[in-house]
């Protein structure tokens, strides 16, 4: 059994142990799992070359730690409860033994289609149980899964398929999201036509739309599963064999395929899940994140299932058929722990208290948030009206790169403070550094957040580009992992995340690189250049503000060009990356060396009309006044 801390004193004691003797600490936690062969030694690392190896030489299969390890006691316990988009459709429950059978059958399907250990399998599916089955079947046979969020466009999907060198794609005819039906297969077809590597597709029937199937390439999921055998021996994996690739945006260039490996990720997600949420036997845990993002990987699928938990997954959106949907689900399935994003809380808060009428929410014990800073008003609303003043809130800070939660309260143990992620979890050594890389010691300091020592759940590389991994995370502050976030450590030693300090913006908890959006906008034939910044948005946390230079207009004028830019971004990235504001400008504030002075654009996007600091180095300082004037009309 993975140990669970239950008092503040216990946390302080264990934390001390975990940082004074990290290898002793983690090997002790790892003892709770089933390994086919134990490690020769616990950790090898060198942050300068971005090399980390946990549980060196150990052999295991992660799915044996979900199924074989739990079946005897939990065979009949629900592993997954699936709540469909439409509340009138019947929900589904898969017990640990039912899920195991499905996973083994699908493992046999994949093997039958020629998928072997190390092959990459891409998954582009809505939030249905088959998504979990697909992930675990890959892990069972040693294939590396790469889930691409089903809101991404064909272009984005195609680029990711190509980058990962995926051989097979698992997708569906369509998907339901609120009142919308998404043409998933059509997008997948376009993406597969763009890339050269995918030779096989498995298509799940979800919406029943009629869709074209490509002979020899496309196979129906249900046809393949009919004839598949019920048992499949797990592949033996090295602790450091890749488990999955997950793409995320950075400040420059294309999205990065972060690689997470097997042993360390298993130990870290299970340990942090149990401790942060204080999950207890029989609890029902509901994480509202999509499995297309890291939160869904680590805290809907792996962490909970490795802990023998009952994990609830939801296909739909919080506002359909009405804004009480989350609360109905919590009451219907007697949810004990609920984990969501601040954006969802803010949008439901803005819709008023009527949607909470007649909702009991009495089973809730713990509330969690993730993905972006939570403002105090939203924290209090969540605490008072959802948690009824009795449920601790765990504001969990972490990243795709970290694999698991890094700084967070442990529910009911760490005293909380609104908008603070509070204290580091076991083994995590946060450091605050200034612009020059000097470590800021003591309390009441603010700077850039780095981590000084490896933890088992961290990403090991960027798929196909280790140099980029090193340059992105380990060169800004040599010897430290740089998170890209600003942070404050207050007078009590509590951590408050201040947001990104690089050109990454966080829109409704979706992480987007400004360069990525600019590239999409610049594809538009009438656009000369563009600059994108984030601005404070009351619901989304950050909105997208695009300054666009166009010297020619088509017949639709400015409005026409705005609409077609929206379309271009939707097509290149996905609808969730559409700018909230587009300002057509005659030029951008550039220095004589051609560098865009983003701080000015950031200020204008926040509504400032003066106090831009020294602008004398600009090639054309007048442009600033023009942009300020134009901003009023956006
Ligand atoms: O800026 C931080 C913000 O989300 C970024 C990571 O995004 P992503 O890789 O998509 O993973 C999101 C889910 C783990 C971070 O660099 N972030 C995440 N959690 C918090 C947060 N900002 C403030 N408070 C948090 N609790």
């Amino acid at each position: 059994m993975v140990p669970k801390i239950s008092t503040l004193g216990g946390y302080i004691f264990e934390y001390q142990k975990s940082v004074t003797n990290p290898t002793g600490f983690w090997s002790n936690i790892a003892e709770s799992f089933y390994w086919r062969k134990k490690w020769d030694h616990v950790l090898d690392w060198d942050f300068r070359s971005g090399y980390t190896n946990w549980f060196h030489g150990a052999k295991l299969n992660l799915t044996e730690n979900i199924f074989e390890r739990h079946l005897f006691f939990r065979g009949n316990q629900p592993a997954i409860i699936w709540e469909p988009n439409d509340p009138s459709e019947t929900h589904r429950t898969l017990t640990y033994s039912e899920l195991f059978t499905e996973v083994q059958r699908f493992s046999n399907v994949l093997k039958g289609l020629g998928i072997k250990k190390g092959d990459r399998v891409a998954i582009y599916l809505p939030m249905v149980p088959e998504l979990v089955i697909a992930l675990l079947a890959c892990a069972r046979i040693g294939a590396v899964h790469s889930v691409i969020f089903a809101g991404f466009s064909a272009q984005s999907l195609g680029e990711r398929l190509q980058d990962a060198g995926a051989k097979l794609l698992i997708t569906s005819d369509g998907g339901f999201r609120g009142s919308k039906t998404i043409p998933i297969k059509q997008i997948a077809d376009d993406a597969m036509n763009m890339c050269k590597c995918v030779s096989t597709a498995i298509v799940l029937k979800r919406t029943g739309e009629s869709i074209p199937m490509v002979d020899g390439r496309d196979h129906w999921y249900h046809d393949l599963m009919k004839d598949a055998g019920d048992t499949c021996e797990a592949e033996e994996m090295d602790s450091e064999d890749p488990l999955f690739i997950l793409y995320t945006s950075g400040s420059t260039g294309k999205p990065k395929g972060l690689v997470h490996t097997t042993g360390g990720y298993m130990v870290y997600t299970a340990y942090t899940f149990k401790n942060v949420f204080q999950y207890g036997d029989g609890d029902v845990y509901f994480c509202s994140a999509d499995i297309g993002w890291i939160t869904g990987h680590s805290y809907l699928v792996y962490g909970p299932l490795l802990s023998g938990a009952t994990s609830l997954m939801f296909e739909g959106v919080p506002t359909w058929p009405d804004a009480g949907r989350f609360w109905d689900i919590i009451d219907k399935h007697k949810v004990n722990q609920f984990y969501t994003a601040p954006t969802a809380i803010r949008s439901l808060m803005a819709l008023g208290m009527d949607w909470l009428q007649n909702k009991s929410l009495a089973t809730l014990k713990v509330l969690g948030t993730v993905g972006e800073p939570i403002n105090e008003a939203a924290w209090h609303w969540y605490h008072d009206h959802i948690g009824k003043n009795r449920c601790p809130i765990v504001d969990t800070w972490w990243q795709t790169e970290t694999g698991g939660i890094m700084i967070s309260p442990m529910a009911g143990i760490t005293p909380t403070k609104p908008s603070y992620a509070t204290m580091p979890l076991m083994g995590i050594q946060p450091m605050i550094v200034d612009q020059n890389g000097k470590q800021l010691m003591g309390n009441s300091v603010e700077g850039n957040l780095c981590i000084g020592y490896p933890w088992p759940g961290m990403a090991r590389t960027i798929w196909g580009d280790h140099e980029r991994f090193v340059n992105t995370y380990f060169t800004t502050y040599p010897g430290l992992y740089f998170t890209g976030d600003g942070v404050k450590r207050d007078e009590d030693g509590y951590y408050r995340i201040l947001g990104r300090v690089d050109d990454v913006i966080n829109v409704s908890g979706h992480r987007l690189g400004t360069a990525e959006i600019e590239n999409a906008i610049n594809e538009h034939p009438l656009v000369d250049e563009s600059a994108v910044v984030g601005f404070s948005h009351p619901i989304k946390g950050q909105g997208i503000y695009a300054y666009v230079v166009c010297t020619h207009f088509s017949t639709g004028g400015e409005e026409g060009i705005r609409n077609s830019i929206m379309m271009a971004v939707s097509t290149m990235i996905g609808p969730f990356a559409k700018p909230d504001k587009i300002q057509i400008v005659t030029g951008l504030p550039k220095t004589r060396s051609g560098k865009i002075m983003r701080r000015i654009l950031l200020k204008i996007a926040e509504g400032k009309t003066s106090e831009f600091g020294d602008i004398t180095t600009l090639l054309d300082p007048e442009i600033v006044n023009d942009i300020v004037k134009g901003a009023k009309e956006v």
Side-chain angles (χ1 to χ4, degrees), residues 120-125 146 148 157 161 166-171 187-189 191-192 198-203 217:
R120 273 81 60 214
V121 170
I123 304 174
Y124 187 70
L125 278 175
S146 187
I148 295 111
L157 173 59
L161 294 175
K167 267 175 108 170
L168 184 143
L169 176 67
I170 305 165
T171 187
I187 302 170
D189 278 338
M192 284 189 279
V198 176
S199 53
T200 312
I202 300 177
V203 186
R217 187 193 71 184

Side-chain angles (χ1 to χ4, degrees), residues 212-223:
M213 295 287 278
V214 174
D215 234 10
R217 187 193 71 184
D218 299 351
H219 308 265
W220 284 108
Y221 181 93
H222 55 267
D223 284 343

Side-chain angles (χ1 to χ4, degrees), residues 611-622:
E611 296 167 29
F612 297 123
D614 181 12
I615 56 169
T616 53
T617 54
L618 287 180
L619 188 63
D620 174 13
E622 264 313 297

